[in-house]
Amino acid sequence: MLKDNLHNIPLSAPVNVTWEITRRCNLNCKHCLSRDRMNDCASDMTFEECKQFVDDLLACSVFQVNIGGGEPFMREDIWDILAYCHENGMVTCVSTNGSLIDEKAAKRLTAMPLNYIQVSLDGYKKETNDAIRGDGTYDIAMGAIERFTAAGFPHLSINTVVTRVNFRELPYLYALAKKYHAKTRLSRFRPSGNAAAMWDKYHLTKEQTLELAKLLSEYHDIVTGDSFFSITAADRKHLGLNMCGAAKMTCSVSPDGNMYPCAFLQQDDFLVGNVKQEKFIDIWNNAPLLNEFRNLKPTSCGDCERFDTCHGGCPAIAYFLKNDIHAGDPACIVNMGK
Amino acid sequence: MTVNSAKIYSLAPHMRVRDESFGLLFYNTKNTGLIFINSGDLIKAAALKQGGTKAALAPQNPVNGEAILEKLLGRGILTC
């Protein structure tokens, strides 16, 4: 038996799929990856199309769907979609802004076998969060967290997109999550969607990136699905992450069924197919662009001694800042020093 | 090591499994962790999902199959 390097093993299907289930959202966060496309709600997949899509994922043994949006609970049939997933053995995770989580919804979700629910909170201080996510959103998110806790929901996580403006509050956010027996989940800030205009103001400095690594090393129960660069090889192993998983372990499907290598690259340049028109697994196996992602070796990383620990980082950030997925992640601590 | 040949191995309730070119890919639903097992064609995911003896799960090579099954058992991936 052996555990091989993931990047050398083409998988038969993704491990998980990020499914943006609706374009509808009742917030307008400054760093939203998809807010700039939230004007086409009519194209959301119907319930029948959603069921067919879930069937297609199950047929190729995708283990998990990460349901987001938009705000997933803006869909009236989200309950039926979740129930359909669970009845058929699909593991589900849901990301929400918490605005539609009343007491009844919290109890209903607690009764479901969700793997986790992620509530977004982008500051320990109300003014920090609300400056990013909108007035009143701190109280909205905290209300949802309180209700999930009161209902006894067992797998809650509080997700924070790490920016220059909330960076100093991360230890306090961690303590807050502990108080509610929730996980802390940190995500990288990427200049996609609304966030493109906020890059200069929000992206971490090199010093902050290094400091963040210390935090992640110190608090091993912080969860992240992201390739923060200064993380040591040992800590990356702990986090289960040493590479971008786009097209290798994951991909993204938008509300209208369009499929992309990842949720941050929902651009025409990266459209690889539509799951309403083709079988999901056929797109996964045959799309040339997905194969290109599976073999990325950024030009700036050719002789970098750290390559085996990060594999070039995030192609989405390279694309948005350098218009080239082969350019190497500009937010890498090595590239930031150049 | 002496192992009862009639021992019935089953996938632990919190685990999922599928076939891959290298062998088996396990997914732990509790922590979303992945476990890669380089077992080639020795054991198929469909058989593991059903459960069975080493002879049923690894009919081509029960001896090598047993070694893998016992390691999976030890890691909590299978139950017995």
Side-chain angles (χ1 to χ4, degrees):
Chain A
M1 291 197 285
L2 92 126
K3 183 172 180 177
D4 207 342
N5 292 326
L6 287 181
H7 68 285
N8 289 330
I9 308 168
L11 295 181
S12 62
V15 169
N16 61 60
V17 171
T18 300
W19 184 9
E20 293 201 346
I21 207 158
T22 181
R23 293 208 187 282
R24 284 181 279 170
C25 191
N26 49 1
L27 300 186
N28 185 16
C29 303
K30 287 183 178 171
H31 56 24
C32 181
L33 66 99
S34 49
R35 182 68 206 183
D36 61 335
R37 294 182 302 280
M38 290 291 169
N39 54 358
D40 184 19
C41 306
S43 62
D44 287 4
M45 281 197 277
T46 65
F47 179 53
E48 290 305 316
E49 288 168 338
C50 288
K51 284 201 296 182
Q52 181 60 57
F53 175 51
V54 172
D55 288 345
D56 288 348
L57 296 181
L58 289 163
C60 59
S61 297
V62 169
F63 295 122
Q64 175 183 324
V65 286
N66 300 326
I67 296 175
E71 168 53 41
F73 293 99
M74 294 288 284
R75 270 190 85 123
E76 294 77 11
D77 58 2
I78 184 67
W79 303 98
D80 299 321
I81 295 168
L82 286 171
Y84 189 79
C85 288
H86 299 150
E87 283 161 14
N88 290 285
M90 178 63 78
V91 174
T92 59
C93 304
V94 177
S95 299
T96 176
N97 60 33
S99 60
L100 299 173
I101 306 299
D102 58 14
E103 190 180 336
K104 186 179 169 190
K107 285 181 177 170
R108 199 170 172 186
L109 287 163
T110 302
M112 289 181 147
L114 282 149
N115 216 34
Y116 64 80
I117 288 179
Q118 187 171 295
V119 177
S120 299
L121 187 69
D122 285 325
Y124 175 75
K125 295 178 186 170
K126 186 185 289 193
E127 57 267 33
T128 305
N129 176 82
D130 288 7
I132 298 170
R133 303 184 61 81
D135 288 344
T137 55
Y138 179 88
D139 290 335
I140 285 170
M142 288 306 300
I145 292 166
E146 295 272 5
R147 286 185 281 279
F148 277 126
T149 306
F153 186 81
H155 307 297
L156 188 63
S157 73
I158 297 175
N159 186 70
T160 301
V161 177
V162 182
T163 63
R164 199 177 290 192
V165 294
N166 63 20
F167 179 75
R168 291 285 160 218
E169 297 174 28
L170 295 180
Y172 302 100
L173 280 163
Y174 176 79
L176 181 76
K178 281 281 182 196
K179 180 182 162 190
Y180 289 98
H181 306 290
K183 288 269 188 194
T184 298
R185 185 178 179 88
L186 300 183
S187 301
R188 280 184 79 181
F189 170 64
R190 292 175 171 83
S192 171
N194 275 5
M198 304 306 294
W199 178 256
D200 288 341
K201 185 177 177 186
Y202 282 179
H203 83 271
L204 296 185
T205 63
K206 183 176 181 179
E207 290 69 28
Q208 286 173 332
T209 304
L210 288 166
E211 205 174 319
L212 179 62
K214 284 185 191 167
L215 185 81
L216 290 169
S217 299
E218 189 175 345
Y219 301 113
H220 271 190
D221 54 346
I222 291 180
V223 181
T224 178
D226 274 324
S227 48
F228 290 105
F229 275 98
S230 40
I231 304 172
T232 65
D235 284 330
R236 283 178 186 281
K237 188 177 178 187
H238 160 73
L239 291 165
L241 178 78
N242 69 349
M243 54 177 266
C244 162
K248 305 178 193 85
M249 295 176 61
T250 189
C251 65
S252 175
V253 172
S254 63
D256 55 4
N258 280 346
M259 185 166 154
Y260 303 90
C262 93
F264 294 97
L265 287 172
Q266 295 181 52
Q267 313 282 321
D268 289 345
D269 287 353
F270 299 100
L271 175 64
V272 294
N274 185 290
V275 300
K276 292 190 293 186
Q277 293 158 11
E278 297 169 75
K279 284 290 181 195
F280 172 84
I281 194 62
D282 291 338
I283 303 172
W284 175 263
N285 284 333
N286 301 324
L289 187 70
L290 295 183
N291 277 325
E292 187 178 341
F293 268 78
R294 288 168 190 140
N295 296 297
L296 274 184
K297 181 151 189 184
T299 48
S300 67
C301 307
D303 54 359
C304 180
E305 60 183 25
R306 293 174 59 89
F307 183 76
D308 284 343
T309 64
C310 73
H311 297 95
C314 176
I317 296 182
Y319 173 77
F320 288 112
L321 296 183
K322 296 198 166 182
N323 198 32
D324 182 5
I325 58 170
H326 300 277
D329 190 331
C332 155
I333 52 169
V334 175
N335 287 338
M336 284 168 96
K338 285 178 181 172
Chain B
M1 182 172 64
T2 305
V3 178
N4 181 353
S5 61
K7 208 170 175 178
I8 306 289
Y9 299 91
S10 309
L11 193 63
H14 63 282
M15 299 301 298
R16 303 279 190 275
V17 64
R18 74 184 191 205
D19 295 314
E20 289 292 346
S21 57
F22 52 83
L24 296 167
L25 177 63
F26 291 91
Y27 168 84
N28 185 335
T29 62
K30 284 185 180 171
N31 62 12
T32 70
L34 295 172
I35 300 155
F36 295 74
I37 303 296
N38 186 18
S39 52
D41 289 329
L42 201 54
I43 302 168
K44 300 307 262 185
L48 263 186
K49 287 176 191 171
Q50 265 194 316
T53 63
K54 64 180 181 184
L57 296 177
Q60 292 172 338
N61 192 336
V63 175
N64 286 355
E66 181 180 75
I68 292 173
L69 291 167
E70 283 297 308
K71 283 183 183 173
L72 295 174
L73 188 63
R75 294 175 68 175
I77 296 167
L78 302 183
T79 60
C80 197

